[in-house]
Amino acid sequence: MYYFGLMLSLSAIYMIAGSGAAFSLKTGRINLAGEGLIYLGGFLCAIMLDLFARVKMPAFFAITLSFTISAAAGALVLIFCEFLYKYKHADF
């Protein structure tokens, strides 16, 4: 049972990355930053949750705030990529 749960947790990350890659290919824009954005968000979320656990923040607020911060970090990196594409015609 443990290995099945481990398989599901790892495959969920790859399914999200694959969905993003399929969407970008369908629109005609190649995006190589999708998997990096997922790893950035996951790493930042783990750091924030560890920090919130040390200051004894309630779980609901810690999870909500860390997910919001992780999504904002991914959005900022994606905005940076779009800025480079629009003004410098750099592929990402």
Side-chain angles (χ1 to χ4, degrees), residues 26-66:
K26 189 72 172 170
T27 60
R29 307 251 330 251
I30 307 277
N31 184 358
L32 299 176
E35 193 169 344
L37 291 174
I38 290 173
Y39 289 135
L40 170 74
F43 182 70
L44 190 60
C45 185
I47 289 173
M48 296 303 291
L49 286 174
D50 183 51
L51 177 74
F52 293 148
R54 290 181 186 185
V55 296
K56 306 275 193 243
M57 182 180 279
F60 175 76
F61 296 118
I63 291 171
T64 304
L65 189 59
S66 63

